[in-house]
Amino acid sequence: MSLLVTGGAGFIGSNFVLDWIATTGEAVVNLDALTYAGNLRNLASLQGDARHVFVQGDICDRALIDRLLAEHRPRAIVHFAAESHVDRSIHGPGAFVRTNVEGTFALLEAARAHWSGLGGAEKDAFRFHHVSTDEVYGSLAPEAPAFTETHAYEPNSPYSASKAASDHLVRAWHHTYGLPVVTTNCSNNYGPYHFPEKLIPLMIVNALAGKPLPVYGDGRQIRDWLYVTDHCSAIRAVLERGRLGETYNIGGWNEQANIDIVRLVCALLDELQPDPAGPYQRLITYVTDRPGHDRRYAIDARKIERELGWRPAETFETGIRKTVEWYLAHTDWVREVQSGSYRDWVAQNYAARTPGSA
Ligand code: NAD
Ligand code: TYD
């Protein structure tokens, strides 16, 4: 038995592959295009392990997906591959429509053709698990209740719009063709192997390099943070016991304002690797806000708790400490991902943001 995982060299996908093989022992065929966000180094501990088959390729390549499904006959597809960074989607939305919408379409069509040809128990057991985000629900007012699975879709960024489109395709392939799908909409993840273009790892690596810590706008935007291995355990639960055609929101009941996260990261670094030049908070710099910046996301995770008995294992205090410690222990990984293309991105995203005050 095996899974076909897409995007398994990215942040969450690589954590999932490592976690899956460690907890279940089941093989994974890992299809990833290795864009700037994909990194085989995340999977170095699986080198030589026959349970991990890596295939470099594009989810838009229908012939390739057909071949992989025919060759490996996976019992499920777990679909992580995506363009995932909101700021990049503002600078270049085309790649988001291509991978997140057209890529999901190609994968659904390949899955449908494959599943239609299966019989008996193999057909009954097959699953297409679509990994999505809470950002499809749009932005919440300060006192509004957290997102439930029935909240209206109101995506605001090219990223969230492309993910919303992919969620709708997945839903339609279930209703129209009966494809056995499950969808999960998760809140912001953090943890090991997080690419340092996103808030938490960017703040850690910038602080350690003595660079400014760029806080967009007033820094009071709220995200609901979940440690990445808790997302992995939730996906395992939904894959095993989730009801077909259902969506499950995944979150850790952990709303935090950006500025509070940045201050906490600084405080942990002050404790674990003090800077002789002074507390890291001196580097906090308020900069021009992100256009269309969503103010607040919050997940109501009662459905997955009630139906599947899933709960996060980490608190924010334990998870953020582990994360900072991981980055301190993996300076080689950080150095390697900060390649030429990473530096080009940092220049593009931050050069035009003028420093201001909150
Ligand atoms: P990531 O950007 O770190 O990784 C994406 C991976 O997909 C990379 O390895 C990349 O090489 C691969 N990829 C991109 N385009 C591809 C293509 N055309 N064909 C094949 N592979 C391709 O993203 P992530 O943060 O690990 O997110 C994974 C999934 O989880 C995404 O679908 C994202 O929308 C969703 N999600 C992310 C978060 C979060 O906080 N990061 C939260 C909720 C949901
Ligand atoms: P990010 O990690 O890009 O995730 P998302 O936009 O998908 O939630 O950003 C998290 C929050 O941090 C978001 O409100 C934007 C903010 N942010 C900054 O203030 N400064 C930064 O340099 C970055 C990358 C993000």
Side-chain angles (χ1 to χ4, degrees):
M1 295 219 290
S2 67
L3 293 188
L4 173 61
V5 168
T6 71
F11 162 47
I12 304 173
S14 59
N15 274 287
F16 178 82
V17 170
L18 294 169
D19 179 81
W20 179 265
I21 291 177
T23 53
T24 71
E26 191 177 339
V28 169
V29 179
N30 182 354
L31 171 63
D32 194 297
L34 296 181
T35 68
Y36 79 92
N39 185 353
L40 279 182
R41 216 176 148 146
N42 302 0
L43 300 158
S45 61
L46 292 173
Q47 220 164 11
D49 189 326
R51 295 170 301 179
H52 180 234
V53 178
F54 182 77
V55 180
Q56 183 170 4
D58 192 326
I59 56 164
C60 298
D61 182 346
R62 174 70 198 274
L64 172 62
I65 306 165
D66 286 345
R67 183 169 65 69
L68 292 176
L69 291 172
E71 202 175 303
H72 297 281
R73 301 179 77 84
R75 68 180 178 95
I77 297 175
V78 186
H79 176 33
F80 294 94
E83 289 291 339
S84 69
H85 187 32
V86 173
D87 290 315
R88 286 187 192 251
S89 82
I90 295 168
H91 288 274
F96 288 72
V97 173
R98 182 179 179 278
T99 287
N100 301 358
V101 186
E102 293 173 27
T104 301
F105 166 69
L107 207 55
L108 283 167
E109 280 294 80
R112 181 163 77 92
H114 174 72
W115 170 76
S116 303
L118 299 176
E122 206 182 357
K123 186 167 192 175
D124 293 343
F126 190 79
R127 293 287 180 276
F128 184 104
H129 187 131
H130 179 55
V131 179
S132 192
T133 166
D134 60 357
E135 304 195 22
V136 298
Y137 299 123
S139 187
L140 284 171
E143 301 304 326
F147 301 129
T148 64
E149 289 78 2
T150 55
H151 195 282
Y153 269 46
E154 293 174 329
N156 292 318
S157 72
Y159 164 65
S160 55
S162 66
K163 290 297 292 188
S166 68
D167 292 10
H168 291 323
L169 292 178
V170 172
R171 177 189 162 87
W173 260 241
H174 175 68
H175 280 265
T176 303
Y177 304 113
L179 189 70
V181 309
V182 281
T183 295
T184 46
N185 294 86
C186 189
S187 60
N188 284 54
N189 286 211
Y190 67 100
Y193 306 115
H194 204 183
F195 194 75
E197 64 183 355
K198 307 275 173 71
L199 179 74
I200 290 177
L202 182 92
M203 295 301 155
I204 299 171
V205 306
N206 276 18
L208 292 173
K211 292 183 179 162
L213 307 180
V215 174
Y216 296 167
D218 65 2
R220 303 303 316 168
Q221 300 83 7
I222 289 170
R223 299 291 183 264
D224 190 348
W225 294 90
L226 183 71
Y227 193 67
V228 63
T229 49
D230 282 325
H231 188 185
C232 297
S233 70
I235 292 172
R236 269 192 277 120
V238 172
L239 205 51
E240 270 169 36
R241 309 188 290 282
R243 285 185 292 134
L244 289 187
E246 291 290 317
T247 66
Y248 293 89
N249 284 355
I250 305 171
W253 304 100
N254 176 43
E255 292 183 55
Q256 304 278 346
N258 293 340
I259 186 63
D260 295 336
I261 300 235
V262 177
R263 290 199 181 116
L264 182 56
V265 166
C266 289
L268 283 166
L269 286 173
D270 286 337
E271 176 196 326
L272 297 168
Q273 192 157 306
D275 184 347
Y280 288 99
Q281 285 202 29
R282 75 186 192 285
L283 299 169
I284 293 176
T285 310
Y286 289 93
V287 299
T288 314
D289 207 352
R290 171 189 281 174
H293 197 171
D294 283 339
R295 197 71 190 161
R296 174 176 168 237
Y297 304 139
I299 280 279
D300 181 332
R302 280 178 295 182
K303 179 176 174 183
I304 188 170
E305 289 173 7
R306 190 179 59 243
E307 286 193 13
L308 307 182
W310 174 85
R311 271 188 187 69
E314 299 290 342
T315 64
F316 191 58
E317 288 65 34
T318 58
I320 193 75
R321 181 175 284 275
K322 277 190 185 176
T323 304
V324 172
E325 286 171 347
W326 187 89
Y327 280 85
L328 289 173
H330 292 81
T331 47
D332 285 354
W333 183 92
V334 170
R335 207 172 305 117
E336 192 179 271
V337 299
Q338 290 177 311
S339 64
S341 71
Y342 176 79
R343 288 195 295 273
D344 293 346
W345 162 252
V346 170
Q348 185 184 10
N349 191 40
Y350 295 97
R353 290 181 195 272
T354 47
S357 57

